[in-house]
Amino acid sequence: MNGTPRLRSAYPSTPQKGNERNGAEASASLPRLPLPTLSSPQNDPQAPLIPFNLVDGPQQRLYIAFFYLGLTVWRLCDYYGLVSDETDSLWLFLKWFAIDSIFLYGLPELKIPWLQWSSSSITMLVIGHTIFDAVLMFRIPVSSGLPFQPLSRLQETQIPLETWLIAFTRLFYDRELAVSERRVKPANVLHNSSLILGKQIIHILPEGCVSSKVATSIVTDDIRSATLNPNRTAFCIDSFTTSINLPIQLNQTNPILIELLRVDLDTNLNDTITIQAKEIRKLKKQAQRQPLGRDIAFPRLLQYPIKQTGLYRLQRVVDESKLEVQRRLSDTLVVQCPSAHMQSVAESKCIGDLSDFYLQVDATPPINIKYSKLFNGQENGHAVLTIPPKSPMSPLATSRSSGALVARESVANVDVSWARSQSTKISLNESLSTSGRWQYLVDEVQDGCGNTVNYANNRRADSGRRHATNAGPLEQRFSVHERPRVSLRGCDSQHPLRVPKGESIRLPVQLSSTGVDSTEQGTHYLSYLFSPSAEVLPNQEHGKAAVLEEFKIEPNAAGHEVYEPGLYTLQSVQSAHCAGDVLEPSSCLLSNPPEPSLSIETQVIPDRCAGNSVGLLVDLDLTGTPPFRVSYEEKRNGGPVTPRTVETNLLHTQLELRPAHSGHYKYEFKHISDGIYREPRSIRDERLRLEQDVKPPASARFLDAHPPRKTCIGEPISLAVQLLGDAPWKLEYELVHNGRRQKRKKEGIDSSIYTLTTDELSSGGEYSLALTSVTDKSGCKVSLEQETKIEVALQRPKAAFGLVEGHRTILALEDKKVQIPLRLQGEAPWTIQYRNLDQPGEGSTTMVFEKSNDEIEVKDAGTYELVHVDDATCPGNVDTAANRFLVEWVPRPSVKVSDSAAIEYQQGVYVKKGICEGDEDAVEIAFTGTPPFDVEYVHHLKPERGSQSTSTKKFKAGINLASVKMITTEAGSHQYKISKLSDLSYPHDPRKFSPVVIEQIVHATPMATFSDGGKTYKYCKEEEAGGENVPISLKGSPPFHLEVEIRHHSSSKPELVTIPNIETYQYNLHIPHRLLALGTHAVRIRKIRDANGCQRRMDQDAPHVQVNVAEVPGITAQESRTDYCVGDRISYTLSGLPPFNVFYNFQGQERKASASTTNFRRLAEKPGEFTITAITDQRSVDCKAHTSITKIIHEMPSVRVSKGRTATVDIHEGGEAEILFEFGGTPPFEFTYTRSSNPPRGKKSQVLDTKSDISYEHMKSVLASDEGIYEVVSIKDRYCAFSTQRVQGKSGPKLLT
């Protein structure tokens, strides 16, 4: 059997007696062999579903056993909670059939050793479980007889399954409720060995006896093991974490020596770390501070500090027995902690550039590094980079099923270079397509061992600061700028720039950017190619002598000045950060046009009558760029100089110099300017001067001929005439009207300004006044063409008030503007003067009107009178029959409360008589004004309880009387304030309206509710058993009048109970027993009325209570006897509806017990008086059935031999020894004692003699002379008996009858 091969997950083989030492020596002397290479679990079809390196085979079997035990407990819970409904039984049966099938058929798939049963075995187990489920869930009785008995006999011997289950349960848990209401073990009460104590041994000298004690010892053998880093925790060391604690788990062993093997990661050399007993004790003291650390039965975890990186393996563990402890092969890798940093580059970038920076990572591969991007402070995504190991043999790159990192047992020449920290530079080249603030942050780096450094948490803990590791920064920031753009504005090859000679001009550079926003602020650097005008090729290209020049434009600067004419072409543009693009147009030709010049020629203008010169005609020949502006000066007879200007867009023009007055005139041209040379250029040096003597011919003209003059009929008109020439003058004119021409002349006029006055114009209409000729001193008569129009009004203006609906009276709204119709005759505009006769102190008002049917706008009532009228030309007359107009106001609306006996007016408030909540009530109000009326009132409620509320309500009244419904839905003080009133004519005006206030008290409707609505109250059938009071809460004004309805469930006619004059707000209703019958009653409050006369009828569905009148339960003792012994069971039969509450008194203490069935039984655990005082059942929890059934529990008799000790007495042959018996209980005592032989060692004694005796006292002495062992085997007092001997297979206490 010892040679049978075992799975590695199997239990260890049972040690053989006598071979422990040899096995230990053999194991110590055997050389260490390398462990065989394990095949991969993925390739082994027999491998378990859960690898043994995670959970070994015994633990898996233990978990399956626990799981099955849990299913069994769940199944039994369903069984005990099962009701007798077949549907539930079927459902539970199907549920457990499915659970058992899934569990049993799925168990072999786990491939756990010893649990890989065949399919036939699984099927049999499923069938067995199905039968068991059917027996449980359908509560099928199980026969206790033989299967071949007759059917009638078999039915008589059927026992419910719960009986079997209870019997089976008592094998492991046998407890029973005692009279003290605690569970005790009946065997401890029935078989009380302390009732009979002591024995006496008599020896006949000279013989003696020797006794010896044999000590036994139990040797146990436990599984001992040690594991390095059982949880496979990742460890690393850096400048911040210079030391880590390496966990070593010890299972049921106390080592005195631990050896750790360390392989250096840089050199592949190994060394051994030895932990001696002294250091182990320190580590164990630290481990004992952990929970369960002091219990050797639980694994202990030692924390051994290390400060070096490397590959660690638990090489050897020796315990106190100098034997090596089993080691679980597990390697722990301690590496350099991973780190990452940015290799910073320039922070300024341009649109379209690449980020072009590096991320330096130092860690053991494979490495996962996570970084995030922020744009303008907002997250713009995360990225995770994975760096594989350089060595394809790295075990960190693949998943491991065991804790070993090195496949061989020996690590003497192992290569662990794959575990070294690897420095990797990662290039991050991303296109920066959007301008703004870009930020790259290292969030987290994780090495192949699982060590993780989270930089993001550190940033959140210290936000707002730049973070860095010892190696470098953890972030890279970029400011991405827009690229500049440049072009020329307003200048290209077809539209050159023209600048005066010697002057500069700003090159029209227009800056922009690639973004949608404005140009980036800052200095811009530009370059252009320049060719002088002489070097520009005919095709507007640069010649060989072109020069490249550079300039810069500062923010808010005017631009770059250029002087020299030629061709300018932009070549490049660059901002402070980025180079830009040159857009078209990019070339501009700068030229210097010629300066403006002037040449003149003159020609005399002669007078045709006298032959004198009347002026000059000057030809102006101009050169330059239009428009031109020529300035010259005019001087007459040595008088002051008069500057004059000529503007023209032509290169040739004529200037006529014809003065209106005679004299010697001098002209000198002073300055000239054009479109390019805008500053006036002096041309005095060219001596462009002219002179002439002018004697103009006679002439005359009206000074104010336009527009036509107007005048009143019958009045003359005067006009001013200007005369030119030499005085005196003779003026001829004519007046034309209705085809008639009247010629007039005036001689000897000496003044150049003459006022011409006509005769009175007696006819209305249009007149023409024409100047026909004028003659001056020279005698030359000059014909004239001067004419003006005169309009003469046909009649004088007249004013009167118009009619409104046949009357000169208007009824208007107060403070509204009223238009009084006005009838005017004459020529607009009319000037009207009027006054209000009702306001004599205001004086008259003057207004101008443009229309003949106009209106006077007034805003005050009264009688208005016209005083005077003028039109545009003449004063007029007022029609005395229509010179007055009456303006009256429409009366404003008002409101008042109609008189009523229920309303009193008190201190400006209408107080209405109080009303009950919910009753209908209204108040009538009367209006004056123009219907309909719009009324708005504010309802203010001050309730009896709670916060106040205000609401605004509106209504419309079609007539002068309205009824306002009072709000009575809520009790309290109600105030109705009519705050706004408007009618058909007037909107509400708060300045001219006085609010009307109405107040009313709404009394709360009394309320009666059951304090515990829906509760069921218990009443007993017997009146003396009492009953509960039904508390009723009342609200309102006491005293209250209450009416209660009581309806039995089997009767349709209710009983009414009237309760008057209740003065309190809480009333306890006690229902008379005469109104109650056995069963359930519904008690409902029907009506309540309070002192205010307010009444409430309760709804049929209002909360009510139920009164359950129950039958009083009963209890009867199953035995008529009164006296019981300790250990007896006191049983009662209960009548009523379970469950029951049994109240009893035991040892002077009131107790309460529950019984779910009609049987009540308690074990007599202690002596005392046991009295049943009352009982209740489910129907009558509050109705106690009082009773008094008393049982006396007597203590068991006891006896002590030799004071309860084992006494040895040596006597001589023929002598006697006294045996003392001491009794406890109630006399008389009957006892039986035996004499047994003194057996040799290893043999049983034999009873030699049995005697019985009786004692009426509590002590008795008996003399004995025979050798042997004397002990009592039974004792009996007046009530009880106890025996240590088995009588027909039973022993224990017994009540004597």
Side-chain angles (χ1 to χ4, degrees):
M1 294 296 290
N2 293 337
T4 303
R6 292 175 175 268
L7 293 173
R8 263 185 311 154
S9 61
Y11 290 108
S13 58
T14 304
Q16 304 296 324
K17 293 184 179 180
N19 295 334
E20 293 87 344
R21 182 180 301 276
N22 294 335
E25 293 176 356
S27 62
S29 62
L30 288 176
R32 296 177 183 167
L33 297 177
L35 293 175
T37 302
L38 298 178
S39 62
S40 176
Q42 289 81 357
N43 301 327
D44 187 1
Q46 299 299 326
L49 184 62
I50 302 175
F52 290 145
N53 60 345
L54 297 179
V55 182
D56 58 13
Q59 286 182 329
Q60 292 189 29
R61 288 191 292 271
L62 182 61
Y63 294 157
I64 291 298
F66 285 156
F67 183 73
Y68 183 76
L69 181 60
L71 289 179
T72 304
V73 173
W74 185 13
R75 193 194 323 266
L76 293 178
C77 290
D78 282 352
Y79 168 71
Y80 280 112
L82 184 67
V83 295
S84 59
D85 188 21
E86 288 296 326
T87 303
D88 290 343
S89 299
L90 179 60
W91 153 245
L92 290 175
F93 169 72
L94 293 177
K95 180 181 81 171
W96 282 107
F97 172 73
I99 293 175
D100 291 337
S101 300
I102 294 172
F103 173 73
L104 293 173
Y105 281 116
L107 186 59
E109 299 300 325
L110 299 178
K111 298 179 182 179
I112 301 174
W114 299 2
L115 297 179
Q116 300 183 34
W117 300 318
S118 64
S119 59
S120 60
S121 300
I122 295 297
T123 303
M124 294 302 295
L125 287 173
V126 171
I127 293 174
H129 280 75
T130 302
I131 296 174
F132 182 65
D133 292 339
V135 171
L136 276 180
M137 301 310 160
F138 293 112
R139 312 192 76 169
I140 300 174
V142 179
S143 175
S144 62
L146 295 176
F148 301 104
Q149 293 179 352
L151 180 60
S152 59
R153 177 69 174 173
L154 186 62
Q155 293 176 348
E156 293 175 359
T157 58
Q158 285 179 342
I159 303 176
L161 183 60
E162 48 262 37
T163 305
W164 292 93
L165 292 176
I166 293 173
F168 177 75
T169 305
R170 284 188 175 179
L171 293 176
F172 305 97
Y173 182 82
D174 187 12
R175 293 291 187 271
E176 192 173 339
L177 278 173
V179 291
S180 59
E181 285 304 312
R182 66 186 184 94
R183 292 192 175 273
V184 298
K185 193 172 183 180
N188 294 339
V189 180
L190 297 173
H191 307 289
N192 190 355
S193 58
S194 63
L195 296 177
I196 300 177
L197 296 177
K199 59 183 176 179
Q200 186 163 321
I201 304 173
I202 298 177
H203 291 287
I204 303 296
L205 294 177
E207 297 181 15
C209 65
V210 179
S211 63
S212 63
K213 297 180 180 179
V214 180
T216 61
S217 63
I218 300 175
V219 180
T220 61
D221 185 71
D222 296 326
I223 299 175
R224 301 170 298 167
S225 64
T227 307
L228 178 65
N229 191 13
N231 297 326
R232 297 186 185 179
T233 306
F235 297 102
C236 67
I237 294 176
D238 58 7
S239 58
F240 300 101
T241 307
T242 58
S243 174
I244 59 101
N245 291 326
L246 201 60
I248 304 173
Q249 180 177 288
L250 303 177
N251 187 24
Q252 299 184 2
T253 182
N254 284 318
I256 60 173
L257 177 67
I258 299 176
E259 290 183 358
L260 294 175
L261 181 67
R262 172 183 171 272
V263 180
D264 191 271
L265 301 182
D266 297 324
T267 63
N268 290 335
L269 300 178
N270 62 75
D271 58 343
T272 303
I273 301 173
T274 302
I275 307 175
Q276 300 295 342
K278 181 178 180 181
E279 190 171 1
I280 292 174
R281 286 194 294 272
K282 293 181 180 179
L283 297 178
K284 288 195 292 185
K285 287 182 180 179
Q286 297 175 1
Q288 287 176 355
R289 299 170 187 167
Q290 304 172 1
L292 305 177
R294 297 180 178 273
D295 195 344
I296 194 175
F298 291 90
R300 285 182 294 179
L301 205 64
L302 306 184
Q303 302 289 343
Y304 181 68
I306 60 172
K307 298 183 179 181
Q308 291 180 303
T309 60
L311 177 68
Y312 289 85
R313 175 177 287 186
L314 193 61
Q315 180 170 281
R316 185 165 172 251
V317 179
V318 180
D319 66 359
E320 294 173 335
S321 61
K322 306 297 184 182
L323 298 178
E324 287 195 22
V325 177
Q326 178 184 353
R327 295 171 292 109
R328 294 187 178 179
L329 188 59
S330 177
D331 295 333
T332 299
L333 198 60
V334 181
V335 298
Q336 284 289 340
C337 289
S339 65
H341 67 276
M342 303 282 191
Q343 290 189 354
S344 299
V345 296
E347 292 191 359
S348 293
K349 295 284 184 178
C350 301
I351 287 289
D353 287 352
L354 298 177
S355 56
D356 193 22
F357 69 98
Y358 293 93
L359 181 61
Q360 182 77 30
V361 184
D362 298 313
T364 300
I367 307 170
N368 290 327
I369 182 167
K370 179 181 178 182
Y371 70 92
S372 59
K373 293 184 291 184
L374 275 71
F375 178 67
N376 290 337
Q378 302 295 325
E379 287 193 5
N380 195 41
H382 301 270
V384 179
L385 303 177
T386 300
I387 304 174
K390 296 180 180 179
S391 173
M393 303 303 293
S394 174
L396 299 178
T398 59
S399 59
R400 296 179 288 126
S401 60
S402 64
L405 292 171
V406 180
R408 300 191 302 272
E409 175 72 19
S410 175
V411 292
N413 299 316
V414 69
D415 182 12
V416 292
S417 59
W418 47 265
R420 297 171 189 166
S421 180
Q422 173 181 317
S423 182
T424 306
K425 183 185 291 186
I426 305 171
S427 176
L428 296 180
N429 253 353
E430 298 181 0
S431 177
L432 304 174
S433 58
T434 308
S435 62
R437 301 189 309 277
W438 287 85
Q439 191 174 5
Y440 290 79
L441 304 171
V442 181
D443 291 337
E444 182 181 284
V445 59
Q446 183 182 43
D447 62 8
C449 301
N451 297 296
T452 303
V453 178
N454 195 311
Y455 300 112
N457 292 339
N458 297 336
R459 281 197 300 272
R460 283 191 287 269
D462 191 13
S463 60
R465 296 177 53 188
R466 288 199 177 191
H467 296 272
T469 62
N470 292 336
L474 295 172
E475 60 181 279
Q476 175 65 54
R477 296 184 178 182
F478 292 117
S479 292
V480 181
H481 305 275
E482 298 286 351
R483 292 185 181 274
R485 290 178 175 176
V486 65
S487 62
L488 295 176
R489 180 179 67 249
C491 180
D492 54 25
S493 59
Q494 303 298 325
H495 303 85
L497 287 178
R498 296 179 180 182
V499 182
K501 293 179 181 179
E503 294 185 10
S504 65
I505 190 173
R506 295 184 181 91
L507 198 62
V509 174
Q510 181 176 7
L511 291 172
S512 60
S513 68
T514 55
V516 296
D517 297 334
S518 60
T519 306
E520 185 173 345
Q521 297 297 322
T523 304
H524 288 75
Y525 302 89
L526 296 92
S527 65
Y528 62 85
L529 195 64
F530 170 71
S531 294
S533 299
E535 301 294 334
V536 178
L537 300 178
N539 59 353
Q540 297 294 318
E541 296 290 339
H542 290 276
K544 296 181 179 180
V547 179
L548 183 66
E549 296 186 8
E550 296 180 351
F551 66 96
K552 64 180 180 179
I553 299 178
E554 299 290 345
N556 302 322
H560 181 63
E561 299 281 345
V562 291
Y563 300 86
E564 190 173 356
L567 182 61
Y568 294 84
T569 302
L570 295 174
Q571 297 294 312
S572 65
V573 62
Q574 184 173 355
S575 66
H577 307 284
C578 304
D581 302 323
V582 178
L583 306 179
E584 293 296 333
S586 61
S587 295
C588 182
L589 184 63
L590 177 63
S591 64
N592 295 140
E595 295 181 359
S597 63
L598 172 67
S599 62
I600 61 176
E601 294 182 359
T602 63
Q603 182 179 355
V604 176
I605 303 174
D607 183 5
R608 289 175 297 178
C609 176
N612 299 326
S613 174
V614 296
L616 289 175
L617 187 63
V618 183
D619 291 329
L620 302 179
D621 293 320
L622 302 165
T623 59
T625 304
F628 298 96
R629 182 183 179 91
V630 179
S631 301
Y632 66 95
E633 294 177 351
E634 180 185 81
K635 188 175 182 181
R636 175 177 177 244
N637 296 330
V641 175
T642 302
R644 300 190 184 277
T645 302
V646 178
E647 294 183 359
T648 181
N649 290 321
L650 304 175
L651 297 176
H652 177 80
T653 186
Q654 286 187 336
L655 175 63
E656 187 178 81
L657 301 177
R658 180 179 288 186
H661 302 281
S662 62
H664 181 74
Y665 288 86
K666 292 182 179 180
Y667 303 92
E668 183 179 5
F669 291 90
K670 308 290 288 184
H671 299 92
I672 186 173
S673 64
D674 64 0
I676 301 301
Y677 297 88
R678 299 183 183 277
E679 291 295 328
R681 175 176 168 268
S682 175
I683 52 177
R684 288 177 180 271
D685 296 339
E686 300 182 9
R687 298 184 180 274
L688 300 178
R689 298 184 181 92
L690 299 174
E691 292 186 12
Q692 70 171 339
D693 290 321
V694 177
K695 191 174 183 181
S699 178
R701 66 184 182 89
F702 290 109
L703 291 181
D704 52 355
H706 300 286
R709 299 293 299 274
K710 296 180 180 181
T711 185
C712 297
I713 189 170
E715 292 182 0
I717 188 169
S718 298
L719 294 173
V721 179
Q722 183 182 21
L723 300 173
L724 300 176
D726 295 329
W729 290 275
K730 183 177 71 173
L731 181 65
E732 295 180 357
Y733 64 94
E734 60 183 9
L735 185 64
V736 180
H737 175 63
N738 291 334
R740 290 182 299 173
R741 189 182 301 268
Q742 297 178 6
K743 293 186 177 182
R744 300 281 190 275
K745 65 180 178 180
K746 187 68 176 177
E747 297 181 356
I749 301 173
D750 295 327
S751 176
S752 60
I753 303 298
Y754 173 70
T755 301
L756 179 63
T757 304
T758 66
D759 297 334
E760 291 184 358
L761 305 178
S762 58
S763 299
E766 184 181 65
Y767 288 79
S768 293
L769 180 63
L771 301 179
T772 58
S773 66
V774 63
T775 303
D776 65 353
K777 183 179 179 181
S778 63
C780 292
K781 185 178 180 180
V782 178
S783 297
L784 300 177
E785 294 181 356
Q786 290 286 324
E787 184 179 349
T788 185
K789 299 293 184 182
I790 302 172
E791 293 182 0
V792 179
L794 297 176
Q795 63 178 4
R796 289 191 176 274
K798 184 178 180 181
F801 284 120
L803 297 175
V804 176
E805 296 180 356
H807 303 280
R808 289 184 177 88
T809 304
I810 192 169
L811 187 64
L813 299 180
E814 184 179 353
D815 294 335
K816 293 291 183 180
K817 294 180 180 180
V818 178
Q819 312 297 330
I820 301 178
L822 194 62
R823 302 294 178 258
L824 303 174
Q825 295 178 5
E827 185 178 357
W830 290 270
T831 302
I832 300 296
Q833 185 178 3
Y834 67 92
R835 62 184 175 180
N836 189 345
L837 297 179
D838 294 342
Q839 296 177 351
E842 297 293 332
S844 61
T845 303
T846 302
M847 294 184 65
V848 177
F849 298 90
E850 297 290 339
K851 295 182 293 183
S852 60
N853 294 302
D854 216 325
E855 295 174 339
I856 297 177
E857 186 178 90
V858 297
K859 60 179 180 179
D860 295 322
T863 301
Y864 288 86
E865 181 185 39
L866 294 175
V867 178
H868 183 73
V869 59
D870 291 330
D871 67 355
T873 307
C874 310
N877 301 317
V878 175
D879 186 357
T880 57
N883 65 337
R884 292 186 179 184
F885 199 99
L886 178 61
V887 177
E888 294 179 325
W889 294 143
V890 175
R892 284 189 168 273
S894 62
V895 61
K896 69 174 184 177
V897 179
S898 301
D899 295 336
S900 173
I903 299 178
E904 295 182 2
Y905 188 75
Q906 301 176 0
Q907 298 179 354
V909 177
Y910 292 93
V911 179
K912 190 168 175 55
K913 184 179 179 181
I915 196 172
C916 296
E917 181 181 4
D919 290 355
E920 296 289 336
D921 195 11
V923 62
E924 287 189 354
I925 55 178
F927 302 100
T928 59
T930 307
F933 300 92
D934 290 320
V935 184
E936 179 178 313
Y937 64 93
V938 178
H939 172 231
H940 180 76
L941 170 62
K942 185 178 181 181
E944 295 180 352
R945 295 182 181 85
S947 59
Q948 301 182 19
S949 63
T950 301
S951 61
T952 301
K953 299 181 182 298
K954 300 178 181 180
F955 69 91
K956 184 183 291 288
I959 58 176
N960 293 74
L961 192 65
S963 177
V964 178
K965 184 178 180 180
M966 313 301 282
I967 299 175
T968 61
T969 55
E970 187 172 356
S973 175
H974 293 256
Q975 183 189 78
Y976 304 85
K977 182 179 181 180
I978 301 178
S979 57
K980 293 183 180 181
L981 175 64
S982 62
D983 62 357
L984 185 63
S985 302
Y986 289 95
H988 174 71
D989 189 349
R991 297 171 299 176
K992 299 182 179 181
F993 177 74
S994 298
V996 177
V997 180
I998 305 170
E999 292 183 353
Q1000 184 181 39
I1001 300 296
V1002 176
H1003 302 291
T1005 303
M1007 184 66 183
T1009 58
F1010 293 105
S1011 300
D1012 298 318
K1015 181 179 178 181
T1016 300
Y1017 294 88
K1018 304 297 179 63
Y1019 272 67
C1020 303
K1021 186 176 180 182
E1022 287 79 6
E1023 185 172 357
E1024 61 273 7
E1028 296 181 86
N1029 288 330
V1030 180
I1032 299 177
S1033 298
L1034 304 173
K1035 294 180 181 179
S1037 300
F1040 300 98
H1041 184 90
L1042 191 64
E1043 187 175 299
V1044 179
E1045 174 186 299
I1046 303 172
R1047 186 189 300 270
H1048 192 269
H1049 68 90
S1050 62
S1051 174
S1052 59
K1053 182 180 179 182
E1055 297 286 345
L1056 298 180
V1057 177
T1058 301
I1059 309 165
N1061 298 326
I1062 302 175
E1063 297 290 344
T1064 61
Y1065 293 97
Q1066 193 73 25
Y1067 181 72
N1068 292 323
L1069 173 65
H1070 185 81
I1071 302 174
H1073 279 74
R1074 59 182 175 80
L1075 302 177
L1076 299 176
L1078 192 63
T1080 303
H1081 300 74
V1083 180
R1084 187 176 67 85
I1085 299 173
R1086 194 168 186 177
K1087 186 171 61 177
I1088 182 174
R1089 187 175 67 250
D1090 66 354
N1092 293 324
C1094 298
Q1095 177 175 294
R1096 181 192 295 266
R1097 285 186 173 274
M1098 311 304 292
D1099 297 334
Q1100 289 291 333
D1101 55 352
H1104 63 279
V1105 298
Q1106 289 187 343
V1107 174
N1108 187 14
V1109 180
E1111 185 71 44
V1112 177
I1115 183 170
T1116 305
Q1118 293 184 358
E1119 298 177 316
S1120 59
R1121 58 180 176 144
T1122 303
D1123 297 306
Y1124 287 81
C1125 299
V1126 172
D1128 288 346
R1129 291 173 175 81
I1130 307 175
S1131 300
Y1132 299 88
T1133 299
L1134 309 177
S1135 61
L1137 181 64
F1140 299 91
N1141 289 327
V1142 181
F1143 301 87
Y1144 63 91
N1145 183 292
F1146 179 66
Q1147 292 182 339
Q1149 183 178 358
E1150 296 293 336
R1151 301 176 189 267
K1152 177 182 177 182
S1154 299
S1156 59
T1157 64
T1158 57
N1159 291 324
F1160 178 70
R1161 187 178 71 173
R1162 288 296 182 267
L1163 179 65
E1165 174 196 9
K1166 300 176 181 179
E1169 185 174 309
F1170 182 81
T1171 303
I1172 302 294
T1173 58
I1175 181 176
T1176 63
D1177 63 355
Q1178 185 181 17
R1179 296 174 303 183
S1180 58
V1181 177
D1182 299 324
C1183 295
K1184 292 183 180 180
H1186 295 279
T1187 184
S1188 179
I1189 304 176
T1190 301
K1191 305 293 183 182
I1192 306 299
I1193 303 174
H1194 301 278
E1195 64 176 350
M1196 296 297 295
S1198 61
V1199 59
R1200 305 288 186 268
V1201 180
S1202 300
K1203 301 296 184 180
R1205 298 188 298 271
T1206 301
T1208 303
V1209 180
D1210 297 330
I1211 62 175
H1212 293 282
E1213 186 74 28
E1216 289 183 336
E1218 182 182 13
I1219 303 174
L1220 178 62
F1221 298 93
E1222 296 176 306
F1223 304 102
T1226 303
F1229 302 97
E1230 297 182 14
F1231 63 97
T1232 302
Y1233 63 94
T1234 61
R1235 180 175 67 89
S1236 305
S1237 61
N1238 291 323
R1241 181 179 299 177
K1243 293 186 179 181
K1244 295 178 65 175
S1245 63
Q1246 296 181 352
V1247 177
L1248 303 177
D1249 190 11
T1250 300
K1251 294 184 179 180
S1252 297
D1253 203 345
I1254 186 171
S1255 174
Y1256 295 96
E1257 302 294 336
H1258 288 84
M1259 186 179 295
K1260 184 177 181 66
S1261 295
V1262 176
L1263 298 177
S1265 60
D1266 296 327
E1267 183 180 37
I1269 301 173
Y1270 292 85
E1271 54 187 343
V1272 177
V1273 295
S1274 66
I1275 178 68
K1276 180 175 65 174
D1277 67 353
R1278 181 177 179 182
Y1279 301 104
C1280 305
F1282 178 78
S1283 175
T1284 59
Q1285 294 180 334
R1286 293 184 177 270
V1287 181
Q1288 294 181 355
K1290 298 181 180 180
S1291 64
K1294 182 180 179 182
L1295 178 66
L1296 301 180
T1297 57

